[in-house]
Amino acid sequence: MARPLLLMKSVNKIYTSGGISFQALFDVDFIIKEGEFVSILGPSGSGKSTLMNIIGCLDRATSGAYYLDGEDVYSLSTKRMAQLRNRKIGFVFQNFNLLKRQSAMENVMLPMVYAHMPSDKRVQAAETLLDKVGLIDKLKSFPLQLSGGQQQRIAIARALANDPSIVLADEPTGALDQRTGRQIIDMMKQLNEEDGKTIIMITHDEGIAREAKRTVRILDGRLYDD
């Protein structure tokens, strides 16, 4: 039986500005098991970005508990939390978030630099990952020389750089045409089915959400499991 990889208990998030408080998440309970492909579906303003930031260790909950791969996230210092994020989570963003002055290879190697991987191993790993996403011939190309689909494939290779426990994809097809978006979804499904990667995909699109094996819905800061 697959083990729980992500476990949240009674997670709340409250933002306060100018003496005014706004609650973005309400008592979220969430379990994702190793090897799942889960979509989090919700409209703009539903709280899905807040939930993504907490899952990705980019923000802390106001209250509640979060365990990632058995580790109590909120027992960690900010520095240790960043190290956990670098080791355990690979990010794929809607707008790719590639460094424009860095080549494809340099972009893919960036998480490995933060993980203090030796330079020779970084080069070898980056070449292997770019080959995996079908872009070994573009390793010296810069993002602005590439199509949106190619940039997103580089972003996926970068997400896999440190062999993370979770690939966290935020609207991964949002900036792409339908045909290219289909290719990215197929790549996500391949990573899940053939490589066993646990994938969490944030989306507002019902059709995209159905591509996952399981869908949870978020509305007004509350999570509902289909």
Side-chain angles (χ1 to χ4, degrees):
M1 182 177 293
R3 66 189 177 92
L5 184 58
L6 179 154
L7 174 62
M8 288 185 172
K9 296 180 180 179
S10 301
V11 165
N12 292 275
K13 180 63 180 179
I14 299 172
Y15 295 102
T16 302
S17 178
I20 299 173
S21 295
F22 168 74
Q23 187 155 356
L25 295 178
F26 295 83
D27 292 322
V28 169
D29 294 324
F30 197 19
I31 297 176
I32 293 180
K33 294 181 179 179
E34 191 173 32
E36 282 199 275
F37 184 178
V38 180
S39 62
I40 299 175
L41 175 65
S44 177
S46 62
K48 63 182 187 294
S49 293
T50 299
L51 181 58
M52 183 200 74
N53 287 338
I54 290 174
I55 290 171
C57 299
L58 297 166
D59 196 5
R60 292 177 183 264
T62 305
S63 63
Y66 176 24
Y67 295 87
L68 177 58
D69 205 8
E71 195 155 3
D72 182 355
V73 173
Y74 297 145
S75 70
L76 305 176
S77 66
T78 300
K79 181 178 179 180
R80 288 282 297 124
M81 193 165 151
Q83 291 170 343
L84 179 71
R85 178 173 66 241
N86 184 250
R87 292 196 331 266
K88 298 291 184 180
I89 301 174
F91 292 90
V92 179
F93 297 101
Q94 177 176 344
N95 292 318
F96 324 131
N97 284 20
L98 300 176
L99 298 179
K100 293 180 173 56
R101 295 185 179 181
Q102 302 291 316
S103 68
M105 174 174 278
E106 290 167 332
N107 270 284
V108 173
M109 289 194 297
L110 192 60
M112 306 178 204
V113 173
Y114 293 139
H116 306 295
M117 184 184 293
S119 60
D120 57 334
K121 291 186 177 180
R122 292 200 300 264
V123 170
Q124 183 179 0
E127 289 178 349
T128 298
L129 288 168
L130 285 168
D131 188 37
K132 184 179 185 67
V133 299
L135 290 175
I136 189 63
D137 60 327
K138 302 293 184 183
L139 57 88
K140 293 184 179 180
S141 299
F142 293 90
L144 294 180
Q145 297 173 318
L146 303 171
S147 69
Q150 289 171 328
Q151 290 185 64
Q152 193 62 296
R153 281 191 276 164
I154 291 169
I156 291 171
R158 180 186 58 190
L160 298 172
N162 290 332
D163 191 23
S165 301
I166 293 173
V167 174
L168 183 56
D170 181 23
E171 302 277 8
T173 65
L176 304 174
D177 61 74
Q178 188 171 8
R179 182 181 65 84
T180 307
R182 175 75 259 172
Q183 293 171 351
I184 295 302
I185 291 298
D186 287 344
M187 185 170 290
M188 292 282 185
K189 293 171 82 169
Q190 182 179 358
L191 288 171
N192 174 250
E193 293 168 5
E194 297 182 11
D195 297 355
K197 283 293 177 190
T198 304
I199 296 178
I200 304 173
M201 182 170 63
I202 317 296
T203 184
H204 70 279
D205 188 310
E206 289 266 1
I208 295 296
R210 284 196 296 269
E211 298 288 347
K213 294 177 179 176
R214 171 184 161 212
T215 299
V216 298
R217 296 174 185 268
I218 187 166
L219 186 63
D220 296 331
R222 292 178 170 84
L223 205 64
Y224 305 90
D225 200 327
D226 281 4

